[in-house]
């Protein structure tokens, strides 16, 4: 195995693509007839897919943990893009992080080791 790419079930692929663009992702591949898109951010990849969303009203339980180079700067960037993200906190496991949901209820945790000088 050489890599793993999460595929998230979404209610609206176009809305999800727009949301993840605000996070800094770009579209690597998209097929509107499939209602699917592959997004990328550097070496990271994420697929969003309406066709696998067999229970669109069900709560999501998946978590994506994203590791930016500078969590404080990335946090400011998301707020500058109009996203309502909570304040940065330092976790009991020594990560400076913040957590929020995407439009479909998938959990996003974004953090960096507090020892990297990024404490809130």
């Amino acid at each position: 195995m050489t890599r793993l790419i999460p595929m998230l079930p979404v209610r609206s692929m176009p809305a999800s693509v727009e949301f993840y663009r605000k996070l800094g992702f770009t579209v690597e591949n998209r097929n509107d007839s499939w209602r699917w898109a592959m997004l990328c951010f550097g070496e990271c990849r994420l697929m969003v897919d309406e066709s696998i969303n067999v229970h669109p009203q069900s709560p999501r339980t998946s978590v994506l943990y994203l590791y930016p180079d500078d969590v404080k700067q990335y946090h400011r960037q998301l707020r500058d893009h109009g996203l309502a993200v909570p304040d940065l906190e330092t976790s009991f496991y020594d990560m400076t992080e913040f957590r929020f949901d995407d439009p479909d209820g998938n959990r996003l945790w974004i953090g960096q080791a507090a020892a990297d000088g990024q404490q809130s």
Side-chain angles (χ1 to χ4, degrees), residues 3 5 26-30 36-40 42 44-45:
R3 67 181 175 162
I5 302 174
T26 59
V27 176
E28 181 176 282
N29 196 351
R30 178 175 174 163
W36 168 90
M38 170 82 77
L39 309 174
C40 65
C44 300
R45 299 292 182 274

Side-chain angles (χ1 to χ4, degrees), residues 12-95:
S12 168
M13 180 271 292
S16 292
V17 166
E18 183 59 31
F19 174 82
Y20 282 96
R21 278 186 172 152
K22 290 180 181 179
L23 297 185
F25 284 82
T26 59
V27 176
E28 181 176 282
N29 196 351
R30 178 175 174 163
N31 189 311
D32 289 339
S33 65
W34 297 349
R35 302 179 337 267
W36 168 90
M38 170 82 77
L39 309 174
C40 65
F41 192 147
E43 294 298 315
C44 300
R45 299 292 182 274
L46 173 66
M47 291 182 268
V48 292
D49 191 338
E50 284 181 50
S51 70
I52 63 171
N53 196 17
V54 295
H55 303 290
Q57 301 310 318
S58 296
R60 302 290 181 233
T61 57
S62 61
V63 174
L64 296 178
Y65 203 109
L66 305 173
Y67 296 86
D69 291 331
D70 182 336
V71 72
K72 283 184 174 181
Q73 184 278 328
Y74 189 66
H75 184 263
R76 281 191 301 274
Q77 176 184 325
L78 297 189
R79 285 188 169 172
D80 289 347
H81 286 143
L83 295 175
V85 297
D87 292 337
L88 290 165
E89 295 183 3
T90 301
S91 69
F92 70 91
Y93 45 89
D94 209 27
M95 292 289 285

